[in-house]
């Protein structure tokens, strides 16, 4: 359903950025002033296509149409507002692969970051003979860590895995491909006609030398290991580079000047770090969207392979973004909503629904902390940090006849919070001397006061809630554009990010959640071998 919030105001002559936030659930467009004020935004949903047990795709044309529809709604009614738009800048989810021809025509649907079909293909490329370290050949792993700061996920969920799978299973498609693009690259191509990739967008090809942030480039040795052709990858630019102006067709469709500049932008984790105001070294943010991650800027490139945490190129020049990622956060609530509470079958014929997430909040808030002993493991799509295991699955533990769906709802929220603490432990070790006692929550999940308080109680850290957590990526894109245009500096950003409130951890909850967390980790230790056996057997017979 279309969603629009706030009418754009023409009471000012200050410049505006059309900030684009392309997420897995859909495309959000916002009109943002360089002071951080959001003058209006609109959203259009985009469907997912599930392919078998491990394939997840979207149609890039759906992204583009969602962008056009949302942007036109924002811009159509006020010519004065359109004249104030000086730039367009995108943020998008990463780890996505779209093959296009030399005219920019899409050759197949986009393979998403949730897709695990490339697991075997990338494992075969990553290992070497009989001696391997956690599935990687020692020399290959050493080269990846030294040059990129990380290594391809053996779950097949990133661009390296996607391209490996396409090379193995669709060689004719690969032959026809002019460039493999990430989602951000695709949006910039449609906006300007230029094939290019940012430092952070190109990262998960796992073929770039990231040691010198002033000269990130593809490495011939890594390309050879992965079996990739350099000519099929776009040239690399920085996030704050002005990559061109709107094509006449796009400018006409939006009612904007063809001289409107397009700034390269960044993938969502970089944009969220900026939009959350966490640009100082070690200042941490948690993004709670379809997936989740923790991020903090640091001055150097490092990797903790054992916990799958690394610092990687980002939107800030001269800085790396330390990242820890988990596969499923709000997608667990979407699953609860769409597959359990409102699944369209004989038990539910009415398509009308309440504002589900607000209702879930109210219900969860009236259930005692600990969900009456019920524990939820939110591994719908496997996991990535602190373990990289595509065979993990979600589940409810300790369910009894005494429990109600109210308890289940509370357990879902607590499960994501416990999973976040599991990811937080190695992340805090990773940032070391920059450790603080507070983090900022952004993304759709950050709108929930109940969840923010729960995160504070479970982690023992104070949680900052911005004025508009769901707009962090759009704000980040706008600030990146402002830096690219020379209008602001990144050091200006924290003062332009408005905070709503801070949730302090409640001492009375500490013992309960410490005990729940130890049980949560024990459940992983005991269940992981069974998940591997069951789900690998299913893969073998599929």
């Amino acid at each position: 359903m279309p969603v629009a919030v706030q009418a754009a105001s023409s009471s000012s002559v200050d410049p505006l950025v059309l900030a684009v936030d392309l997420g897995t659930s859909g495309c959000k467009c916002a009109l943002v002033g360089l002071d951080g004020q959001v003058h209006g935004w609109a959203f259009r949903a985009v469907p997912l296509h599930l392919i078998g047990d491990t394939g997840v795709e979207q149609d890039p044309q759906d992204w583009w149409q969602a962008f056009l529809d949302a942007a036109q709604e924002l811009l159509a009614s006020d010519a004065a507002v359109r004249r104030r738009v000086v730039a367009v800048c995108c943020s998008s989810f990463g780890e996505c692969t779209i093959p296009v021809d030399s005219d920019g025509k899409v050759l197949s649907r986009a393979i998403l970051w949730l897709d695990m079909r490339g697991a075997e293909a990338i494992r075969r490329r990553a290992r070497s003979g009989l001696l391997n370290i956690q599935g990687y050949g020692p020399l290959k792993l050493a080269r990846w860590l030294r040059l990129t700061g990380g290594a391809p996920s053996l779950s097949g969920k990133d661009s390296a895995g996607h391209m490996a799978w396409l090379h193995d299973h669709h060689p004719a498609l690969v032959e026809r491909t002019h460039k493999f693009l990430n989602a951000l690259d695709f949006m910039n191509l449609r906006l300007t006609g230029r094939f290019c990739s940012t430092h952070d967008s190109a990262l998960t090809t796992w073929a770039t030398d990231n040691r010198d942030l002033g000269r990130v480039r593809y490495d011939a040795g890594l390309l050879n290991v992965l079996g990739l052709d350099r000519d099929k990858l776009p040239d690399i630019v920085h996030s704050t580079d002005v990559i061109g102006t709107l094509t006449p067709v796009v400018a006409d469709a939006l009612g904007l000047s063809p001289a409107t500049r397009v700034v390269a932008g960044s993938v969502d984790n970089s944009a969220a770090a900026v939009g959350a105001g966490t640009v100082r070294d070690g200042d941490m943010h948690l993004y709670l969207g379809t997936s989740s991650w923790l991020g903090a800027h640091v001055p150097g490139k490092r990797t903790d392979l054992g916990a799958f945490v690394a610092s990687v190129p980002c939107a800030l020049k001269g800085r790396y973004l330390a990242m820890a990622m988990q596969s499923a956060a709000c997608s667990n609530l979407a699953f609860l909503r769409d597959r359990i509470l409102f699944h369209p079958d004989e038990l539910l014929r009415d398509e009308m629904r309440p504002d589900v997430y607000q209702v879930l909040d109210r219900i969860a808030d009236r259930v005692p902390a600990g969900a009456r002993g019920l524990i939820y493991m939110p591994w719908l799509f496997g996991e990535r940090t602190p373990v990289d295991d595509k065979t993990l699955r979600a589940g409810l533990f300790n369910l009894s006849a005494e429990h109600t769906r109210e308890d289940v709802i509370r357990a879902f929220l607590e499960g994501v919070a416990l999973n976040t603490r599991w990811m937080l432990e190695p992340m805090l070790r990773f940032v070391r001397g920059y450790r603080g006692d507070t983090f900022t929550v952004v993304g759709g999940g950050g709108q929930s006061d109940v969840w923010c308080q729960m995160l504070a109680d479970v982690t023992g850290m104070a949680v900052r809630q911005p004025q508009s957590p769901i707009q962090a990526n759009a704000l980040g894109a706008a600030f990146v554009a402002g830096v690219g245009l020379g209008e602001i500096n990144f050091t200006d950003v924290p003062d332009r990010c408005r905070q709503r409130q801070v949730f302090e951890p409640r001492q009375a909850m500490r013992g309960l959640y410490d005990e729940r967390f130890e049980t949560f980790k024990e459940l992983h230790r005991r269940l992981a071998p069974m998940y591997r056996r069951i789900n690998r057997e299913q893969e073998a017979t599929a």
Side-chain angles (χ1 to χ4, degrees), residues 113 286-293 326-335 376 378 380-381 383 412-413 416 419-420 445 451:
W113 55 274
L286 169 69
Y287 183 88
L288 273 182
T290 303
S291 62
S292 70
W293 65 75
Q326 291 184 328
S327 294
C330 294
S331 54
N332 287 279
L333 300 189
F335 173 84
Y376 176 66
L380 287 170
F381 302 104
E383 198 45 278
F412 265 63
L413 291 170
V416 174
N419 212 43
T420 299
W451 217 353

Side-chain angles (χ1 to χ4, degrees), residues 459-474:
T459 64
M461 295 177 68
V463 170
R464 291 188 299 254
Q465 184 189 52
Q467 193 73 39
S468 301
I470 200 169
Q471 296 169 355
N473 287 11

